């Protein structure tokens, strides 16, 4: 079990959705929270709500930061390092999406998602690693997606960015095997957040109507997996099945997503 009490924790994408709910779920462990997002006003609101709901909590540090900008990330971590305190946990949660068929997904769309969903996490991981404690347990968490497990129709750029994130987490876990830093790649399914309101919607695809988990429930599951010190986990039944069935019966999974693509694409 990984002990979460009194840890210094960075959470990216903390202004809403899963990131915001992670703040509340972790608050009971008396952490020193560092909340990152582009929208500073939204972070102020999250901080105030956290303090109101948890009077015993030390006031979280809030920082506006564009995770896709390596210089901005480097400066943010440099500013934090002035306190000369280690970073115990990094939760790479920030991300965005683009929905539509590949034929309408231009190369710039792929670059945008790789910059945010993949390189954003790489930027934070690279610049925070030197600040993890040498002789006590630490953890790096990648909040990914079931799209990392298998390419989702109408989510080519998103799936590619999350698959890259999963591969990165696996390599990082192997290379940190001699240290006390754990690496968790967690794959939620569709979740009720602003993600779908903010994602770029391309022509040529129908809107999907999927059952969505609550962000609060997803955050609770993530914290539980952190406590269990798991290396990789899909949070939904569908996610668990995709991984297992793809290995045992790849033709079945291919047929499933082919049918799904047929329902979503406007051909």
């Amino acid at each position: 079990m990984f002990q979460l009490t009194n840890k210094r924790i960075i959470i990216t994408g903390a202004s809403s959705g899963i990131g915001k709910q992670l703040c509340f779920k972790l608050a009971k462990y008396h952490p020193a929270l560092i909340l990152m997002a582009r929208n500073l006003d939204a972070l102020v609101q999250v901080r105030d709500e956290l303090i109101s709901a948890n009077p015993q909590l030390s006031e979280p540090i809030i920082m506006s930061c564009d995770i896709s900008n390596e210089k901005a990330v480097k400066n943010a971590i440099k500013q934090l390092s002035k306190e000369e305190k280690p970073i115990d946990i990094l939760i790479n949660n920030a991300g965005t999406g683009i929905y539509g068929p590949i034929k309408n997904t231009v190369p710039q769309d792929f670059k945008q998602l790789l910059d945010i969903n993949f390189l954003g996490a790489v930027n934070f991981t690279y610049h925070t690693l030197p600040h993890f404690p040498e002789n006590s347990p630490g953890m790096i968490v990648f909040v990914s997606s079931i799209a990392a497990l298998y390419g989702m129709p109408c989510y080519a750029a998103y799936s590619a960015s999350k698959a890259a994130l999963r591969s990165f987490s696996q390599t990082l876990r192997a290379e940190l095997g001699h240290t006390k830093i754990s690496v968790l790649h967690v794959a939620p399914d569709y979740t009720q957040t602003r993600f779908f309101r903010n994602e770029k919607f391309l022509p040529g695809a129908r809107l999907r109507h999927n059952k969505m988990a609550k962000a609060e429930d997803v955050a609770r599951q993530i914290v539980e997996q952190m406590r269990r010190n798991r290396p990789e986990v899909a949070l939904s039944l569908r996610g668990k099945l995709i991984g297992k069935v793809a290995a045992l019966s790849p033709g079945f999974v291919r047929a499933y997503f082919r049918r799904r693509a047929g329902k979503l694409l406007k051909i």
Side-chain angles (χ1 to χ4, degrees):
M1 300 291 284
F2 187 91
Q3 298 300 321
L4 295 174
T5 306
N6 298 323
K7 299 294 186 181
R8 194 169 187 232
I9 306 174
I10 294 177
I11 305 176
T12 69
S15 60
S16 65
I18 295 172
K20 177 179 178 179
Q21 292 302 322
L22 280 169
C23 299
F24 284 90
K25 296 303 178 186
L26 289 166
K28 68 178 182 180
Y29 296 100
H30 309 288
L33 291 174
I34 302 161
L35 313 184
M36 303 271 195
R38 287 180 298 178
N39 190 329
L40 187 59
D41 290 339
L43 284 176
V44 170
Q45 184 174 347
V46 172
R47 180 194 62 191
D48 293 347
E49 290 177 14
L50 269 171
I51 294 173
S52 177
N54 304 275
Q56 81 289 351
L57 185 69
S58 299
E59 182 172 324
I61 295 172
I62 59 173
M63 301 181 74
S64 175
C65 183
D66 178 359
I67 66 169
S68 66
N69 185 326
E70 185 187 359
K71 184 176 180 180
V73 173
K74 182 179 180 180
N75 288 339
I77 301 304
K78 184 177 180 180
Q79 185 174 339
L80 291 172
S81 66
K82 292 178 181 178
E83 297 184 25
E84 298 184 350
K85 297 177 182 178
I87 294 166
D88 299 296
I89 299 174
L90 167 64
I91 303 180
N92 289 298
N93 167 74
T96 189
I98 294 175
Y99 181 79
I102 291 176
K103 66 179 182 179
N104 293 329
T105 309
V106 300
Q108 181 59 33
D109 292 328
F110 283 87
K111 183 180 184 304
Q112 178 188 350
L113 260 62
L114 285 169
D115 283 346
I116 297 173
N117 296 352
F118 174 59
L119 290 176
V122 171
N123 289 337
F124 261 97
T125 302
Y126 179 80
H127 289 290
T128 57
L129 266 176
H131 302 284
F132 272 79
E134 292 185 6
N135 300 313
S136 60
M139 180 176 286
I140 299 173
V141 181
F142 297 94
V143 180
S144 185
S145 165
I146 62 167
L149 310 179
Y150 203 94
M152 298 288 175
C154 298
Y155 270 125
Y158 182 75
S159 294
S161 67
K162 292 300 185 178
L165 193 63
R166 183 191 185 197
S167 180
F168 177 72
S169 74
Q170 292 169 337
T171 301
L172 184 67
R173 187 179 302 114
E175 294 190 7
L176 294 179
H178 66 288
T179 73
K180 293 186 177 182
I181 302 175
S182 301
V183 177
L184 166 61
H185 175 273
V186 60
D189 209 317
Y190 291 104
T191 307
Q192 293 176 9
T193 68
R194 294 179 183 176
F195 175 91
F196 297 103
R197 193 187 317 167
N198 295 334
E199 72 177 346
K200 183 177 179 180
F201 188 82
L202 304 174
R206 298 180 179 88
L207 284 172
R208 64 270 181 244
H209 299 282
N210 296 287
K211 183 178 180 181
M212 295 190 183
K214 294 181 179 178
E216 180 181 3
D217 293 336
V218 170
R220 174 182 52 77
Q221 288 179 283
I222 292 172
V223 172
E224 181 59 27
Q225 299 308 318
M226 292 170 64
R227 290 183 63 249
R228 293 182 181 182
N229 206 2
R230 296 283 297 278
E232 187 170 55
V233 62
L235 298 184
S236 69
L237 176 60
R238 181 170 68 154
K240 291 179 172 66
L241 288 175
I242 287 173
K244 292 180 179 180
V245 178
L248 297 172
S249 181
F252 179 85
V253 175
R254 285 195 298 269
Y256 168 78
F257 282 109
R258 187 166 57 245
R259 289 193 299 271
R260 184 165 177 78
K263 294 178 180 179
L264 295 176
L265 294 174
K266 294 179 179 178
I267 301 174

